[in-house]
Structure formats: C-alpha cells, structure tokens
Amino acid sequence: MALESNERPDKPITKFESMLKTDDVYFFDAEDFEDIVHHYLNHGKISLAKKGIKIGLQQHPGSIELKLLQVEVMVFENQMEKAEALLDELQLLDNHNEEIYIQRANILSKLDNHEGAIELLQKALSITNNSFDVYSLLGMEYLFMDNFDSAKESFMKCVEFDEQDYSSLYNVVYCFEFLEDYEGAIVYLNGYLEKNPYCEVAWHQLGKQYYYKEMYTEALTAFDFAIISDDSFIGAYFEKGKVLEKLGRYKEAIENYETTISIEDPTSHAFLRIGKCYEKLKDTDMAKYYFYQTVHEDPLLDKGWLAITNLYYNKRDFEKAVFYINKALNIDGENPQYWKKCAKIHMALENYDQADFAFKQAVDLGNYELDTWLKWAEVVKINGETDAAVQILAQGREFYPESLKLLYKSVGYLLLSNDPINARIMLMDALKIDKEQKKLHLFTENFPQYGQSEWTQEIVKKYNKTK
C-alpha cells in the first residue's frame, strides 16, 4: 500500500532508501524524485538513480523532468539512439524546454561534434531564464575545440552569475594562462578582488600570475593576502615558499613549506622543496634527510630520486649516484634529461659503453643540447670509434651549424680518422665564422699534435691572405 509522506522520514533520500529495503511503497512528489535522482547521479550511483527514475515515472508518468533525467542516464550509458528517440517525444510535448537542447548538445559532444553542440547550447541560451549552467557547458565545448577566447568569455559569464563559482574562476584563469596573457589575468583578477577582497582563491591565482611574470614582490603580497583571507590555505603557503626561493630567502621558504606540513599530512613535494632549500644553504645533511623523506613519502616521485642523485653526483660519489639515477629511470624511462645524467655519471666512472648507450637514449628521446653531442662524441672516441664520433658531431652540427666547439672538435676527429681533406674543409668553415681566430685554441689546445703543425699553420696563413 502507498503511505502518505508524513508517515515516514521527512528527507526524501532517507525515505527512498528505507522504501527499497521493504515491500512498502512510499509516495513522493515529482520534485522529490528529481532530487533523489540528482543525488545519486552526483555520487555516481547510476543503478540507484535508474531505480529512482523508474519508480518516479510509475508515480508521475507525465513528468518531463524525470524523462529528461532518464535521457541523461541513457547518454551516460552510450544509449544514444534511445536517448534521441525519447528526446523527439519530449520535444513534441514541450518545444521550449531548454533541457531538451542541452541533452541533445550533450549527445553531440560525446560524438565529438562540438560545433553542433555549441549551436544547440546557443539555442538553449535563447529560451532559458537560468543561463548559468548553459554558459558553463558552452565554456567546456569551447575548451574541447581549443577556442580559449570564447571559453574564457563563457566562464566569465558564470562568474558574473555567481562570484563564488570558483570552478569557473579557475577556468577563466586557465584560459588566460594558456593564451599566455598573464597581464590580462592580472587585470581580471584585480577587478574581481575589488568586489571580493577576501577571496583567498583569487589572491592565490593572482600571486601565481605575478610569479609567471617574475614580479616576485607583488606575488608575495598576493600570497600574503590569500593567507590573511584563509590562514589554513596550504596552496598559498606553498606558492609563497617558491617565491621566497626565487628571492634567495631560503630559511623563510622552509618556514612556509613546514607550515603546509603542520596544517595537513606531509607531502612529498613539500619535503622535496625543503630539501632543495637546504641544498642551497649548503646544509647537505639536512638536504639529504629531506630528499630521503621525499622518496619515503612517495617512492614513485622520480624527482625525489633525481635530487638524491644530484646530491651524490656533486659530492663525486658516482657509485651511489648511478644507483639512484637508475631508480629515477625505472619510474620515467622516457625522460631524456635522466638519461643524460646517467651518461655523465657513467662517463665519470669510466664506464664508456654504458655512457655511450645512455647518451644515445637521451638523443633518441629528444635531447639535442650542445654539450650532449660533444660529450657523446668524446665517449665514443675514447671507446676507439673515431669514425662514429665524427658522425655524432655531424648530427650535432645540424642543430648548431655555427658552433665553433663542434666545428673545431670535428676538425680534430677528422684528422684522427685520417681524413685530412674533410678536416681542411671543416677548418676553413670554422675560420670563416671565427674571423679573428679568438676560438682557434679550441682546436690547438685540444689537439696539440695537430694544433701547432705546419698543416694547421699553412691553412690559417692562407685563410688570412684571403680575408
């Protein structure tokens, strides 16, 4: 039998769940069912939401709102054809219901037709009295299309409707940042703060914009206001610590990072930053302690293992350094900088085969820095593969065609490979760039057996005559 609402608990959710546990049938208003279904959808409990819709439509078969929620579930479960068919029925009943256009837009969005979704949302916008949700959805569609200017404008509308909508505020700032319009973000946030002077979120975001602009004094002020607005705002303390690091005020930076740890459970990132500060303060023992705390807190944080690697590398304890760089590589084996560090450590240990392999990995993964080519060629040459070293330097010259370090070293290696003709051409190319021969010592000092030879003196003399 159906029971009146005053015979059961007042809260619809509690009453509904109580009903599911019994054979009783409770009566709810259609609005109550809507609240129940929204509750379960928001909490990801789809099966309970579907039960709510089913029972709701049994009691209120004409409820368009419940049928629209049914569409929402169908779309979530990728039942697009069923959803479209139901929307067609509903549109015949109510052609001016904006939710119908919103759900149709949702379907098109899931099918990656974002332009079509935007057209439907614009239609919804023309007939709705509550445009907040529509602007939010429009903003997301524009983001899918990488149209950051339009996305920014849409999210700004959301903030105009609700100044406490921090999700939209973050999205506005995100768009400014993606467009690298930090000045625009600063102007916007300052305007927002004139109306909401105690908004810690806005102060925090403003501080980050100043940080990007390297306006560290202004950034500190913004983060201080964020902390004044909410003295438990961990993000503000952390960002303030980063600014203080940039200013070389490492002890103050440590205090701010320690504050984040005292407010909430410690994080690996806070430990890492504290360790970096102690490293800058030349307190190696404390730096090591916090770096080990970092990897203890999060063994998968590769930057923690890299920090320990650098600590031992700088102390010239290369055996330990190679052990820890391998820890970092086990986590992120696609990081070219880690492979380069690994190569340099093996080079210091005179493990030239391993160094050769590591440099090759670094280059294959996109590290094309000048000293990578120079050091890799040096390792290969030490291994007795001078021809291969010449080829490596030739690759490097594709990226740095006017690098005298590469050119003069190439001359030496070509001579070592018994290729005087190409060595002569390379030396002439180098001298054309090094007109005053201020860098000629890169050849004469590194290859003394050739640097003072008659061969070299003759080429230099001929070049001087042709200048």
Side-chain angles (χ1 to χ4, degrees):
M1 72 173 193
L3 302 177
E4 294 300 321
S5 60
N6 60 2
E7 294 179 40
R8 293 292 174 181
D10 291 333
K11 291 184 179 179
I13 308 297
T14 305
K15 193 168 83 168
F16 181 76
E17 292 183 354
S18 175
M19 181 186 76
L20 294 178
K21 296 174 184 177
T22 68
D23 292 330
D24 294 333
V25 178
Y26 305 160
F27 185 82
F28 297 84
D29 290 338
E31 291 80 6
D32 286 341
F33 274 115
E34 289 173 44
D35 291 340
I36 290 165
V37 175
H38 278 299
H39 170 81
Y40 289 128
L41 288 177
N42 290 337
H43 288 80
K45 298 179 179 180
I46 305 301
S47 61
L48 285 171
K50 289 165 76 172
K51 284 183 181 178
I53 293 168
K54 182 180 178 182
I55 297 170
L57 286 173
Q58 287 171 353
Q59 294 187 13
H60 305 280
S63 172
I64 291 177
E65 285 72 20
L66 285 173
K67 289 180 180 179
L68 283 167
L69 287 170
Q70 190 174 23
V71 169
E72 189 173 334
V73 171
M74 288 174 178
V75 174
F76 178 82
E77 294 182 333
N78 289 315
Q79 299 178 32
M80 303 303 183
E81 290 184 8
K82 286 185 177 181
E84 288 276 19
L86 184 50
L87 284 170
D88 289 341
E89 292 177 22
L90 294 174
Q91 195 150 8
L92 291 173
L93 297 171
D94 185 358
N95 191 41
H96 289 85
N97 189 319
E98 73 274 7
E99 190 64 31
I100 293 173
Y101 295 99
I102 290 171
Q103 290 302 329
R104 287 195 188 280
N106 193 18
I107 292 170
L108 290 182
S109 182
K110 291 199 77 171
L111 296 172
D112 291 329
N113 183 357
H114 301 297
E115 289 184 2
I118 286 170
E119 285 183 21
L120 287 167
L121 289 171
Q122 294 286 6
K123 176 68 175 175
L125 202 57
S126 69
I127 60 177
T128 184
N129 293 320
N130 182 16
S131 55
F132 171 85
D133 290 336
V134 182
Y135 275 117
S136 181
L137 292 169
L138 271 172
M140 294 309 298
E141 293 303 316
Y142 284 125
L143 283 182
F144 286 133
M145 295 173 64
D146 292 337
N147 185 343
F148 293 95
D149 281 314
S150 296
K152 180 181 66 180
E153 296 302 319
S154 296
F155 290 123
M156 282 180 173
K157 292 284 187 183
C158 295
V159 177
E160 286 177 22
F161 283 113
D162 179 7
E163 291 179 342
Q164 306 302 310
D165 178 15
Y166 297 142
S167 176
S168 292
L169 182 62
Y170 278 122
N171 281 328
V172 171
V173 176
Y174 170 77
C175 291
F176 274 118
E177 288 179 355
F178 194 92
L179 295 165
E180 296 184 358
D181 183 9
Y182 305 117
E183 284 286 354
I186 288 169
V187 171
Y188 176 78
L189 287 167
N190 273 314
Y192 177 90
L193 284 163
E194 284 182 13
K195 301 174 186 174
N196 304 274
Y198 296 103
C199 177
E200 70 279 6
V201 172
W203 282 116
H204 177 248
Q205 290 299 310
L206 180 61
K208 289 177 71 174
Q209 306 313 306
Y210 283 130
Y211 181 85
Y212 296 141
K213 295 274 292 176
E214 298 183 3
M215 300 168 67
Y216 299 128
T217 303
E218 291 84 352
L220 273 183
T221 301
F223 292 132
D224 280 335
F225 275 116
I227 291 166
I228 290 168
S229 303
D230 179 0
D231 62 6
S232 64
F233 190 3
I234 289 176
Y237 287 107
F238 194 87
E239 296 294 336
K240 183 181 176 183
K242 286 168 61 178
V243 175
L244 290 165
E245 276 193 71
K246 288 289 186 182
L247 294 171
R249 293 157 61 178
Y250 302 114
K251 290 182 180 178
E252 293 173 72
I254 290 169
E255 289 174 9
N256 279 272
Y257 293 135
E258 286 178 338
T259 300
T260 70
I261 294 171
S262 68
I263 293 172
E264 264 190 20
D265 292 336
T267 67
S268 56
H269 293 285
F271 283 140
L272 180 61
R273 297 281 13 124
I274 293 172
K276 293 277 188 184
C277 288
Y278 278 116
E279 195 173 33
K280 293 285 176 60
L281 290 168
K282 310 295 184 188
D283 191 337
T284 306
D285 290 337
M286 289 299 289
K288 183 163 68 172
Y289 170 79
Y290 277 102
F291 289 151
Y292 277 105
Q293 286 290 98
T294 301
V295 295
H296 176 76
E297 187 68 30
D298 183 2
L300 295 178
L301 184 64
D302 46 302
K303 290 180 180 177
W305 296 112
L306 181 66
I308 298 173
T309 299
N310 288 330
L311 198 70
Y312 285 114
Y313 183 83
N314 293 333
K315 291 173 67 177
R316 305 188 65 78
D317 188 343
F318 302 119
E319 293 288 352
K320 285 186 177 177
V322 80
F323 174 79
Y324 287 110
I325 194 61
N326 283 331
K327 292 268 193 184
L329 283 167
N330 285 336
I331 297 165
D332 185 4
E334 301 294 308
N335 190 314
Q337 290 296 338
Y338 293 0
W339 280 110
K340 182 175 178 179
K341 175 63 73 172
C342 181
K344 290 169 72 175
I345 296 167
H346 280 301
M347 199 174 173
L349 288 168
E350 300 182 3
N351 298 332
Y352 297 117
D353 286 335
Q354 293 95 320
D356 178 17
F357 175 79
F359 274 125
K360 184 178 185 308
Q361 293 295 109
V363 169
D364 286 347
L365 290 166
N367 184 291
Y368 306 132
E369 293 169 344
L370 176 60
D371 71 324
T372 300
W373 301 108
L374 292 166
K375 290 183 183 299
W376 186 17
E378 185 181 343
V379 164
V380 171
K381 179 254 183 185
I382 291 170
N383 266 345
E385 301 175 53
T386 311
D387 289 346
V390 169
Q391 293 304 313
I392 289 167
L393 292 175
Q395 284 181 267
R397 291 198 306 277
E398 292 178 16
F399 295 91
Y400 306 96
E402 296 194 355
S403 167
L404 290 168
K405 287 184 178 180
L406 282 171
L407 287 165
Y408 282 130
K409 183 157 278 194
S410 295
V411 175
Y413 283 5
L414 283 164
L415 289 169
L416 289 171
S417 294
N418 297 314
D419 188 354
I421 295 174
N422 282 313
R424 180 189 184 90
I425 294 169
M426 192 68 63
L427 182 55
M428 292 299 292
D429 287 343
L431 290 169
K432 286 175 187 174
I433 297 169
D434 189 15
K435 291 181 170 55
E436 303 301 320
Q437 298 161 30
K438 292 181 179 179
K439 299 291 184 179
L440 184 59
H441 65 89
L442 293 172
F443 172 59
T444 58
E445 291 177 7
N446 287 316
F447 302 95
Q449 67 272 44
Y450 305 117
Q452 304 304 322
S453 68
E454 290 183 15
W455 180 88
T456 303
Q457 299 302 320
E458 180 188 341
I459 294 172
V460 171
K461 190 183 297 182
K462 285 185 177 179
Y463 170 77
N464 287 335
K465 285 182 180 179
T466 60
K467 280 202 296 185

